Amino acid sequence: MTTRSPETDLGRTRRARRIGRVLTETHPDAHCELDHSNALELAVATILSAQCTDKKVNEVTPKLFARYRTAADYAGADRAELEELIRPTGFYRNKTSSLINLGQALCERYDGEVPGRLADLVTLPGIGRKTANVILGNAFDVPGITVDTHFQRLVQRWQLTTETDPVKIEHAIGALYPKRDWTMLSHRIIFHGRRVCHARKPACGACTLAKLCPAYGTGPTDPVAAAKLLKGPRARDLAAAVGIDPDLVPQQAVAAEVP
């Protein structure tokens, strides 16, 4: 029995770049799944997405954004009215406080505009580093890495880092990729985590990264079983990408809400 040599830093970087290239081909539709038309809307949607699916947030925000268009609108919001509008997203009382306080802080410190610097964003109510990177990458085109639960799970499964602290993970993964790729890399990894590499039972036998993944075999490797675990509107395309008959993907998987 032969033992594999430990992966060198260079080897890890090369494997990480290959993973990035495969993800680009696998998820050409990757994007921010929170609907928004400006930085304020994205900030609000991201705050609402805590412990809530993007789909549910997107059901709530059209009416919310029509009613509250500016930071001043949130700053002066009637608490009961705002709570009722965002109730379906859960933790609505805390989120209402965050949105009102965010509006007030933006009006007091930034003339009602969402700032485009990480150092400024993280000082605002309801906005941590993860949320700040989402805003920077998608509203200001400033590259950022978004370490959510999917991102953290996947980069650890791929053994690209042993870090467990989100900020340290952000820096470790950032060092493996060109800065210009950070925002789209985050979207693609999150897409993969929601559609293929699930927390409890990843679709290993239907994964385009199988040859690059040290955790291959965590989920079923049988193509038939794995195909049934794929989720999302492109689930059959994902199956076809690894040579699996797309018809093995059940219709309910194609229509399934991604987590």
Side-chain angles (χ1 to χ4, degrees), residues 103-161:
Q104 291 172 348
L106 290 175
C107 289
E108 291 167 6
R109 289 151 47 192
Y110 298 104
D111 295 324
E113 299 297 323
V114 176
R117 293 195 322 140
L118 181 68
D120 295 327
L121 285 167
V122 296
T123 68
L124 294 168
I127 297 182
R129 192 177 178 95
K130 181 183 80 172
T131 300
N133 276 323
V134 171
I135 296 167
L136 288 173
N138 297 284
F140 293 100
D141 203 24
V142 174
I145 288 178
T146 303
V147 184
D148 74 347
T149 54
H150 300 290
F151 189 101
Q152 182 166 342
R153 178 176 74 252
L154 268 60
V155 298
Q156 289 172 341
R157 276 183 175 166
W158 298 333
Q159 294 181 17
L160 297 183
T161 180

Side-chain angles (χ1 to χ4, degrees), residues 157 196-208 210 215-230 242 244:
R157 276 183 175 166
V196 182
C197 194
H198 312 299
R200 293 186 180 175
K201 193 183 278 188
C204 291
C207 180
T208 53
Y216 176 75
T218 302
T221 57
D222 173 64
V224 176
K228 294 176 181 177
L229 297 173
L230 297 172
V242 291
I244 295 175

Side-chain angles (χ1 to χ4, degrees), residues 60-228:
V60 167
T61 50
K63 188 179 290 187
L64 181 71
F65 293 161
R67 173 68 182 83
Y68 302 94
R69 297 180 180 275
T70 67
D73 290 337
Y74 287 100
D78 176 81
R79 174 175 284 275
E81 179 186 10
L82 184 51
E83 283 184 357
E84 193 57 35
L85 276 172
I86 69 171
R87 182 188 289 265
T89 68
F91 301 97
Y92 60 93
R93 290 191 178 93
N94 287 341
K95 291 177 181 179
T96 294
S97 295
S98 292
L99 295 182
I100 292 173
N101 291 337
L102 173 64
Q104 291 172 348
L106 290 175
C107 289
E108 291 167 6
R109 289 151 47 192
Y110 298 104
D111 295 324
E113 299 297 323
V114 176
R117 293 195 322 140
L118 181 68
D120 295 327
L121 285 167
V122 296
T123 68
L124 294 168
I127 297 182
R129 192 177 178 95
K130 181 183 80 172
T131 300
N133 276 323
V134 171
I135 296 167
L136 288 173
N138 297 284
F140 293 100
D141 203 24
V142 174
I145 288 178
T146 303
V147 184
D148 74 347
T149 54
H150 300 290
F151 189 101
Q152 182 166 342
R153 178 176 74 252
L154 268 60
V155 298
Q156 289 172 341
R157 276 183 175 166
W158 298 333
Q159 294 181 17
L160 297 183
T161 180
T162 56
E163 300 290 356
T164 55
D165 175 75
V167 177
K168 291 181 179 179
I169 291 172
E170 178 189 332
H171 292 312
I173 301 305
L176 297 174
Y177 294 92
K179 189 172 183 178
R180 65 178 182 273
D181 295 340
W182 287 356
T183 299
M184 284 308 302
L185 174 74
S186 298
H187 290 323
R188 289 169 187 140
I189 290 177
I190 292 168
F191 256 57
H192 201 70
R194 288 174 165 171
R195 290 153 175 78
V196 182
C197 194
H198 312 299
R200 293 186 180 175
K201 193 183 278 188
C204 291
C207 180
T208 53
L209 296 173
K211 294 179 180 178
L212 297 168
C213 181
Y216 176 75
T218 302
T221 57
D222 173 64
V224 176
K228 294 176 181 177

